[in-house]
Amino acid sequence: KTAFLLGGGTAARNALYATAARLGVVVAYDCAARALDWNGDTTLRVGLEQAGNTRWVMPRAVVLGCGGLAANPSWGRTCGGTEVGFINRGTPFADGALFKQLVAQGVATVGDPCSAHLVAVDARSPPHDGGIATRIRGMSLGLVVDRAAQRFQDEGADTTGTRYALWGQRLIQCPGHSAYLILDRRGLDAALPALYPPILAPTLSQLAARLGLDGDRLTATVAAFNAAVRPPLASADPAAWTAPTAMPPKSRYALPLREPPYGAYPMRPGLTFIYHGVLVDERARVCLHDGRVLPQVFAAGAIMAPNIMMQGYVSGLALTIAWVFGRIAGAQAAAWALRSRW
């Protein structure tokens, strides 16, 4: 089971800041690292931007903890899609600018630049930082339709924790990367609370109008599904209801949608992270294309997570990678900095 930190990531981060302050670490807030380059293997320069001014510093060692590429608005277009439709679930500062610069200077990469972990989120979510609160659940309780008001998937097939990522991938195949979860009163009552309220209407045609869908098509889609529903012979379990002749069939939880009011949740794919990062060795040192390592440049967190997590996701794994490799990178960077003083 997932253990959720009290106060979430912000509380965890603030605790780390407080510990750093007690140890005498100086933190430059509102300061962005815009450039990093090196002369040979040993001389580093980091360009820092703060309050509109840029200055260069020459540290003995650097740890890259600048996140992945999920906030890069051009990611979808670069990978053959469009920029429109994807919602970044995390920080807007993980734009991959420094990552791209490093790759241009010969840093090796790992993972697939066009593969990402996606989940279904509410289309009304903010463009960044929606986090876990904007996920859409309860697909099995109703029907999911695309912009043509047509079903395209067995909504009852996935009810485990993996359903979030599965629906995220399905949404990128839909026109406009968008779809709608349609529920009747029974489904609305059974659905778990959501950050945004459902869009409600007394009839399906009125609901379609509110969603910008064709009312006749949505009404026909629901009617065809209802006609295909087969109640179980001797079971009160809603999971036992099926719609084997529906197109596509619904294998479980195929209860008809007949009870007003009707509600909908608009959905888009929410981008958690992209399976692409810098290559590191066991000491968290950043590797170059020619097989060498940068002995004074280390990486931790999302920017190097694809070394371990090239596909799939287990709850808490990204946080574990950040903590474990943050400690490894920090210890190695400190050791190198001490050696380079003498």
Side-chain angles (χ1 to χ4, degrees):
K1 296 294 183 180
T2 303
F4 288 94
L5 302 168
L6 182 62
T10 299
R13 187 172 64 246
N14 288 343
L16 291 171
Y17 277 131
T19 300
R22 287 196 301 271
L23 294 172
V25 175
V26 177
V27 178
Y29 293 96
D30 296 317
C31 180
R34 296 298 187 193
L36 188 153
D37 59 28
W38 56 89
N39 180 13
D41 290 337
T42 56
T43 305
L44 277 179
R45 291 201 318 155
V46 180
L48 302 178
E49 183 182 297
Q50 190 173 32
N53 299 314
T54 301
R55 63 190 177 99
W56 289 87
V57 297
M58 297 181 68
R60 295 190 183 95
V62 167
V63 176
L64 302 172
C66 48
L69 304 118
N72 187 332
S74 66
W75 174 79
R77 186 183 68 238
T78 303
C79 292
T82 66
E83 295 180 17
V84 179
F86 294 96
I87 293 173
N88 174 32
R89 303 177 69 205
T91 173
F93 301 110
D95 60 6
L98 200 56
F99 170 82
K100 288 185 174 182
Q101 191 180 116
L102 293 170
V103 172
Q105 295 182 79
V107 166
T109 62
V110 63
D112 181 355
C114 292
S115 180
H117 182 275
L118 301 163
V119 304
V121 301
D122 197 298
R124 297 166 288 180
S125 304
H128 304 284
D129 267 337
I132 198 171
T134 61
R135 286 187 311 184
I136 294 295
R137 298 169 287 183
M139 284 70 161
S140 63
L141 300 172
L143 305 180
V144 177
V145 300
D146 59 19
R147 284 186 169 181
Q150 301 292 326
R151 291 178 61 238
F152 56 90
Q153 182 66 38
D154 179 355
E155 301 90 348
D158 317 304
T159 56
T160 64
T162 59
R163 68 188 182 279
Y164 304 117
L166 292 171
W167 278 103
Q169 294 293 335
R170 290 163 185 158
L171 288 173
I172 65 174
Q173 306 300 323
C174 292
H177 304 315
S178 61
Y180 306 86
L181 171 60
I182 310 297
L183 303 164
D184 70 348
R185 184 194 60 78
R186 179 165 43 190
L188 291 167
D189 290 345
L192 293 171
L195 181 63
Y196 297 95
I199 298 168
L200 298 173
T203 67
L204 286 169
S205 59
Q206 288 172 299
L207 180 63
R210 296 202 62 187
L211 300 176
L213 302 179
D214 185 296
D216 291 338
R217 284 188 183 178
L218 181 61
T219 301
T221 294
V222 175
F225 171 79
N226 289 345
V229 168
R230 296 294 178 266
L233 295 176
S235 175
D237 184 1
W241 288 65
T242 62
T245 60
M247 294 299 292
K250 188 170 180 180
S251 57
R252 305 169 69 213
Y253 297 99
L255 281 76
L257 276 66
R258 292 187 176 127
E259 302 180 36
Y262 297 94
Y265 289 98
M267 299 185 293
R268 283 187 178 177
L271 187 54
T272 314
F273 47 78
I274 297 170
Y275 294 106
H276 193 216
V278 298
L279 182 67
V280 299
D281 67 2
E282 70 280 359
R283 297 189 209 173
R285 297 179 299 183
V286 171
C287 301
L288 296 171
H289 272 302
D290 60 12
R292 294 178 297 139
V293 298
L294 288 172
Q296 78 285 50
V297 182
F298 306 84
I303 195 169
M304 52 69 60
N307 286 269
I308 299 166
M309 187 168 56
M310 293 189 179
Q311 62 179 352
Y313 180 62
V314 177
S315 293
L317 179 58
L319 191 59
T320 302
I321 292 172
W323 280 345
V324 170
F325 276 87
R327 190 172 184 87
I328 292 171
Q332 293 292 325
W336 173 268
L338 287 171
R339 287 197 301 272
S340 65
R341 288 181 63 182
W342 312 107

